[in-house]
Amino acid sequence: MPGAVRTLCLAALLGALGAVGTELTLELPDSAQRCFHQELESGIKFTLDYQVISGGHYDVDCYVEDPNGKTIYQETKKQYDSFSHHTEAKGVYTFCFSNEFSTFSHKIVYFDFQVGDEPPILPDMNNRVTALTQMESACVTIHEMLNAVIDSQTHYRLREAQDRSRAEELNGRVSYWSVGETLILFMVSIGQVMLLKSFFTEKRPSSSGAGT
C-alpha cells in the first residue's frame, strides 16, 4: 500500500509540474510593437508576468484587450509587472508589448502567460473530509518546495541575463572611451612635437634682403 501511495504521489507531482501556459523571450526593435493572441473560455483565470531583460532604460509599454476590444490592462514604461484577470467573455484575448516610444533602443522582453488555476496535486483533494496522511502531506510539501525552486530558478536566470547585458554594455562604453582617449593622446603628442619643433627651427634670411 505505501508503494502504491508513493507511486500515486510521484505521478501527481509530475503532472502538477507540467507547464500550463507559455514562456517566451522576444526581441522588441525600436519603434516596434509585438502582439500575441489567445482564445479563452469565459470564467477562466489567466496571469501575465513580464520583465525587460535588456535595452535602454529596461522599460516597455504593455496592454491587454478582451474580445470586445476593451482594454483591461495598460501600463507605460514598466520594467516588470504581473497582471491577473478572470475572463468575462469567450473569445480571443490580445496582449501587446510596445517599444514605440524609443527611437534607437532595442529591448529584450521575457513574459510568462499562464491560463487556468493549478490542478490539485492529489485526486479529490479539494473535496476531502478526512485529514491528509503523512505521505500525502509530504507530497504537498515537496510540491510546494519544487514550485519555489522553479520560481527561484526563473528569477535568477532573468537577473543573470539582465546583469550580463549591463556588463556587456558597460564593457562597450569602456572600450569606446579607451579608444577615444588613445586617439586624443596621439593627436596631442603629435601637436606637442610639432610645436617644439617650430621653436628650434632656424629661420634663414631672404635672398632679396641680403642683396640690398
Side-chain angles (χ1 to χ4, degrees):
M1 184 63 180
V5 175
R6 189 177 295 108
T7 303
L8 178 61
C9 178
L10 180 58
L13 282 174
L14 294 177
L17 287 177
V20 184
T22 302
E23 289 185 80
L24 185 64
T25 302
L26 61 100
E27 182 178 359
L28 193 61
D30 52 284
S31 304
Q33 177 176 284
R34 294 282 179 86
C35 293
F36 300 86
H37 311 276
Q38 179 67 45
E39 185 173 1
L40 301 174
E41 299 289 337
S42 61
I44 293 180
K45 177 185 176 182
F46 70 85
T47 303
L48 175 64
D49 298 318
Y50 64 91
Q51 179 176 344
V52 181
I53 299 177
S54 67
H57 296 288
Y58 300 87
D59 53 358
V60 70
D61 296 343
C62 180
Y63 67 89
V64 182
E65 291 183 351
D66 65 7
N68 299 321
K70 177 183 176 183
T71 301
I72 57 179
Y73 170 83
Q74 185 173 10
E75 290 290 344
T76 58
K77 296 184 178 181
K78 295 283 291 187
Q79 294 183 350
Y80 58 89
D81 202 6
S82 178
F83 171 69
S84 298
H85 180 74
H86 283 84
T87 61
E88 298 178 355
K90 177 182 177 180
V92 177
Y93 286 76
T94 303
F95 59 98
C96 299
F97 300 99
S98 174
N99 193 32
E100 294 177 334
F101 60 88
S102 179
T103 57
F104 59 88
S105 297
H106 288 223
K107 308 289 177 62
I108 296 180
V109 182
Y110 162 85
F111 74 86
D112 181 11
F113 186 75
Q114 298 291 332
V115 179
D117 295 322
E118 184 180 8
I121 184 174
L122 298 174
D124 300 329
M125 183 175 177
N126 297 331
N127 301 325
R128 294 190 58 170
V129 179
T130 59
L132 297 177
T133 65
Q134 184 177 1
M135 180 65 70
E136 292 172 339
S137 299
C139 290
V140 174
T141 302
I142 293 173
H143 173 65
E144 293 175 351
M145 294 177 64
L146 288 176
N147 280 337
V149 170
I150 293 174
D151 292 340
S152 298
Q153 287 179 338
T154 301
H155 171 73
Y156 288 123
R157 178 164 50 86
L158 294 177
R159 287 292 302 272
E160 187 272 336
Q162 191 176 63
D163 293 342
R164 184 175 66 250
S165 175
R166 288 179 176 175
E168 291 176 354
E169 182 180 359
L170 181 61
N171 180 64
R173 291 183 179 182
V174 171
S175 299
Y176 289 135
W177 182 257
S178 300
V179 172
E181 282 188 332
T182 302
L183 293 176
I184 292 174
L185 289 175
F186 186 70
M187 295 175 63
V188 170
S189 300
I190 293 178
Q192 289 179 343
V193 171
M194 298 287 291
L195 183 61
L196 291 175
K197 186 177 180 180
S198 66
F199 288 158
F200 295 98
T201 300
E202 181 181 359
K203 295 184 178 180
R204 297 180 180 182
S206 60
S207 57
S208 58
T212 56

